[in-house]
Amino acid sequence: MATQQYRIDSAEDSEIHGEPHIEGSRITVRDVHVRVEQRGLAPDRVAERYNLDTADIYEALAFYHNNPEEMRRVERRHERAAGEARERSSLTPPDI
């Protein structure tokens, strides 16, 4: 079975918050996933915004889905950091 080679730096190799990111950029795989799959932005718009190829965006999404364990670790770290920030903050969000 052939191993897929990505133009993605894994979390182990990343200097960008210890998260997988697109080589030569500071955009993380998680950020691409959030923008495209959670916010519904078109991959070509995200690519244009960050001066990347659309293929880079699809590659980041493929990495996200092909590496669920690594991405779960990243998500857990973000959730912990957000929780810690909420605990330290004296600000409360407004009632909507």
Side-chain angles (χ1 to χ4, degrees):
M1 179 176 185
T3 302
Q4 174 69 42
Q5 293 296 318
Y6 294 101
R7 203 174 81 81
I8 304 292
D9 286 331
S10 71
E12 296 167 352
D13 299 328
S14 178
E15 295 178 9
I16 314 294
H17 309 293
E19 289 188 37
H21 69 279
I22 299 170
E23 279 183 4
S25 79
R26 296 189 58 82
I27 186 155
T28 65
V29 168
R30 179 182 177 274
D31 192 34
V32 169
H33 169 73
V34 167
R35 290 174 187 276
V36 174
E37 296 187 356
Q38 292 179 0
R39 294 185 186 164
L41 298 175
D44 60 329
R45 296 286 304 220
V46 175
E48 181 180 303
R49 167 72 173 87
Y50 291 102
N51 197 30
L52 297 167
D53 292 332
T54 303
D56 293 328
I57 302 304
Y58 283 109
E59 196 167 297
L61 292 171
F63 184 93
Y64 182 93
H65 291 289
N66 286 325
N67 296 279
E69 293 296 321
E70 184 171 357
M71 297 314 302
R72 276 195 288 275
R73 283 191 298 272
V74 168
E75 292 295 341
R76 283 192 300 267
R77 195 169 67 242
H78 274 270
E79 289 167 4
R80 276 193 310 272
E84 290 170 5
R86 280 191 297 275
E87 289 175 10
R88 289 192 308 262
S89 178
S90 61
L91 300 175
T92 56
D95 292 330
I96 297 178

